[in-house]
Amino acid sequence: MEKIKTGDGSYTFINPKYKEVYHSVSGAEEEAIKKYVEPTEITKLAKKGHIKILDVCFGIGYNSAAAIDAILKSNPKCKIEILGLEIDNNLFDAMDELTPVFKSYKYVKKAKNGFFENNNLSIKIVFGDAKKTIKDVKEEFDVCFFDPFSPRKQPEMWEEQFIKDVGSKIKKGGVLSTYSCATHVRINLVRAGFKVKDGPSIGRRAPSTIATKDF
Ligand SMILES: C[S@@+](CC[C@H](N)C(=O)[O-])C[C@H]1O[C@@H](n2cnc3c(N)ncnc32)[C@H](O)[C@@H]1O
């Protein structure tokens, strides 16, 4: 896969099938922090001592690594459980050539065979089509990172049924973040039981979307 340097100096890849980058070209690390970690307020949640994250389209794991760093900085004793859904099981090989700023990336890389665990962190990756694998997920999560390729390139990942299936795994009071602000995506999120609002506009004029499930 072709590796590219993004605007904040961090690297990401270009997917050969969809001809789309895995992260914003304005800054891959910045996107993980500003669009996923900060607006989901996981550092506040970390104070409670236990966070469960559903990382839909886990990719090369930047969003999860950025989240682990932020959570452990907020509360080093926080128990973190991450479930990643990802179709491409070759990405972990590609990750060997990446050294992002995230300290926790070393743990993410260790989930290569689908599982990593240490004292307070567990990362499980379910490889396969997330539209199918989501149906077998039995748990509920506090936070969801929803990061497929764009609605234009991969419309099936933004359809109502899939978003409803994802939404059904998010706890009441939980939050989902996604970079898209497309109207039909927001409508599907509302149909899945979320309230939506603008998230940060990092690297482009349009905002991202923060979707919350009220108690
Ligand atoms: C924009 S990238 C995600 C970047 C990732 N969140 C990160 O932080 O590195 C989109 C990802 O969706 C994955 N993907 C595409 N179709 C999928 C499907 N049907 N099920 C699960 N993952 C899929 C791709 O392989 C790719 O890794």
Side-chain angles (χ1 to χ4, degrees):
M1 264 199 309
E2 186 187 346
K3 191 166 81 169
I4 58 158
K5 192 173 187 176
T6 66
D8 63 0
S10 62
Y11 287 86
T12 189
F13 293 110
I14 302 178
N15 181 278
K17 179 174 171 196
Y18 294 103
K19 311 250 179 300
E20 201 158 282
V21 279
Y22 283 75
H23 301 90
S24 169
V25 288
S26 70
E29 293 170 357
E30 179 190 55
E31 181 180 47
I33 294 166
K34 299 280 180 195
K35 280 193 192 152
Y36 292 93
V37 172
E38 289 183 357
T40 50
E41 299 189 326
I42 51 179
T43 51
K44 278 191 198 163
L45 263 177
K47 302 286 186 204
K48 292 188 179 168
H50 189 179
I51 297 188
K52 292 177 74 163
I53 299 173
L54 177 62
D55 191 345
V56 178
C57 295
F58 184 85
I60 51 176
Y62 280 14
N63 293 345
S64 279
I68 301 165
D69 276 11
I71 293 165
L72 293 180
K73 193 171 172 202
S74 169
N75 177 5
K77 292 190 173 155
C78 186
K79 186 166 161 31
I80 308 166
E81 292 178 65
I82 296 178
L83 176 65
L85 306 183
E86 174 53 55
I87 202 163
D88 185 353
N89 57 10
N90 293 315
L91 286 175
F92 275 87
D93 289 332
M95 281 157 65
D96 283 343
E97 49 177 301
L98 296 171
T99 52
V101 72
F102 312 119
K103 288 192 188 122
S104 312
Y105 207 56
K106 59 178 181 286
Y107 304 132
V108 170
K109 282 179 171 174
K110 285 184 183 170
K112 185 172 186 158
N113 295 324
F115 194 62
F116 169 77
E117 192 171 38
N118 68 13
N119 287 347
N120 55 344
L121 170 67
S122 83
I123 304 173
K124 184 178 172 197
I125 313 293
V126 174
F127 291 106
D129 181 354
K131 294 191 299 309
K132 294 188 180 131
T133 57
I134 190 72
K135 294 182 191 296
D136 297 324
V137 174
K138 302 282 183 255
E139 309 147 76
E140 287 192 332
F141 298 83
D142 305 288
V143 173
C144 176
F145 301 144
F146 191 78
D147 195 15
F149 290 124
S150 67
R152 194 168 55 87
K153 292 282 175 76
Q154 248 201 320
E156 70 279 11
M157 300 303 282
W158 304 86
E159 281 172 3
E160 181 176 339
Q161 188 55 55
F162 181 49
I163 290 183
K164 276 186 172 162
D165 288 342
V166 170
S168 71
K169 311 298 176 192
I170 308 306
K171 291 179 189 172
K172 285 208 164 58
V175 57
L176 175 151
S177 179
T178 186
Y179 65 86
S180 175
C181 67
T183 304
H184 76 281
V185 170
R186 289 188 170 187
I187 288 172
N188 289 344
L189 283 163
V190 169
R191 286 179 177 157
F194 290 98
K195 278 189 179 163
V196 297
K197 63 178 183 185
D198 285 351
S201 334
I202 305 292
R204 54 186 207 149
R205 253 175 294 158
S208 57
T209 299
I210 305 302
T212 49
K213 252 194 173 180
D214 285 347
F215 286 99

